[in-house]
Amino acid sequence: DRSPPRPETPTTRFNGDIGRERGFIFGSLSLDDIKVVRKAFDASVNDVLLALVSTALRHYLLARDELPALPLRTGMPVSLRSEDDDEISNRVTQASVTLATDVADPVARLHAISADCARVKEMVHGGGKGFIELMQIMPPLLVSAMMSATTPSQTSQMLGSNLIISNVHGSDQPMYIAGARLETMYPMSIITPGIGINFTCVSYVDHVDVGVTIAPQLVPDPWTIIDGLDSALRESSGTAGPAQRALQ
């Protein structure tokens, strides 16, 4: 049996009903600084972005005395393509990975996230099936009936996710519209009942633009999360410098 065990997922303020309103916050992060952290700690750019979101949300929940003992988990898109697969099609699944928000040290948190991402990718590429794959083979009417009878908190438990984080590699070169340079591109994604916050990241030239879609009633003072991302990257960059010199 290759199916992974169901992850333990805490219930947080992000995992309620979403209502009709939407909120949107955004910011940009230095891609060069992210790459410095990636190199210093032998991680991927995606690992570093997950760790930055983890740090920002850890501080956000700590400030409200709401940080759960169990680590937050996120749904992360994982490609199902093999190296020789060149078909024009979408082959991606959603996997649950830890954000290690129970780990106080940011470097240890990054290592925990990186290790879990590697484990999940190995499991997926080895043929393991998660909740999303099981839903895809179920009759649509059964899926619809099951989801309509599920509470928002139960949805996050079934998906093993408190939030969604996705990372897209954008253009390395500047783009133009009618001669005007496109300076930033802030992506907006969707939220669902039970998962009221979604981070979408797009790299563009020398920065990563982050768009965060939220359910406003679940996420008060949302701009503090953007401030938290900036602070987390400054902290990580400061730690990465001495780490790189120690390796040389």
Side-chain angles (χ1 to χ4, degrees):
D1 184 6
R2 293 175 177 265
S3 298
R6 177 177 295 184
E8 294 185 87
T9 306
T11 297
T12 71
R13 64 163 47 251
F14 310 127
N15 307 123
D17 204 357
I18 61 174
R20 295 183 177 182
E21 295 185 350
R22 299 291 181 272
F24 184 67
I25 56 177
F26 52 88
S28 296
L29 301 168
S30 167
L31 183 57
D32 287 341
D33 287 348
I34 289 172
K35 288 180 176 178
V36 166
V37 177
R38 176 200 67 77
K39 184 177 180 180
F41 300 111
D42 192 25
S44 68
V45 167
N46 190 67
D47 295 341
V48 175
L49 286 170
L50 292 181
L52 296 178
V53 172
S54 171
T55 298
L57 293 184
R58 174 182 163 84
H59 289 307
Y60 180 86
L61 293 174
L62 276 173
R64 289 159 177 76
D65 196 26
E66 295 178 2
L67 183 68
L70 290 174
L72 270 66
R73 301 191 67 85
T74 182
M76 181 185 72
V78 178
S79 174
L80 296 174
R81 290 184 181 276
S82 60
E83 292 184 358
D84 58 351
D85 185 351
D86 58 359
E87 292 184 6
I88 301 176
S89 63
N90 291 327
R91 298 202 62 197
V92 66
T93 187
Q94 191 90 344
S96 171
V97 298
T98 186
L99 287 181
T101 49
D102 57 329
V103 179
D105 179 72
V107 175
R109 194 180 316 126
L110 172 58
H111 286 318
I113 291 170
S114 183
D116 199 41
C117 286
R119 178 193 63 81
V120 166
K121 289 176 184 177
E122 182 179 1
M123 181 272 295
V124 169
H125 293 155
K129 290 182 171 59
F131 185 76
I132 296 297
E133 286 71 39
L134 295 177
M135 288 186 65
Q136 289 173 342
I137 63 176
M138 292 169 61
L141 286 177
L142 180 57
V143 173
S144 178
M146 182 179 68
M147 296 306 292
S148 63
T150 302
T151 66
S153 61
Q154 288 172 332
T155 299
S156 64
Q157 294 294 323
M158 287 192 303
L159 295 175
S161 302
N162 298 108
L163 63 149
I164 300 297
I165 306 173
S166 56
N167 172 34
V168 179
H169 180 73
S171 174
D172 296 326
Q173 301 298 319
M175 296 189 292
Y176 297 82
I177 301 176
R181 173 170 167 153
L182 178 65
E183 296 294 340
T184 57
M185 56 174 80
Y186 298 118
M188 178 179 288
S189 193
I190 62 172
I191 54 176
T192 62
I195 302 181
I197 184 168
N198 183 315
F199 290 75
T200 306
C201 310
V202 177
S203 63
Y204 175 55
V205 189
D206 60 354
H207 55 272
V208 174
D209 295 325
V210 182
V212 188
T213 306
I214 61 171
Q217 74 276 19
L218 299 180
V219 191
D221 301 320
W223 288 99
T224 59
I225 295 175
I226 298 299
D227 294 339
L229 290 174
D230 290 331
S231 298
L233 183 54
R234 287 196 301 271
E235 178 185 41
S236 297
S237 299
T239 307
Q244 274 193 312
R245 289 193 292 271
L247 293 173
Q248 293 174 351

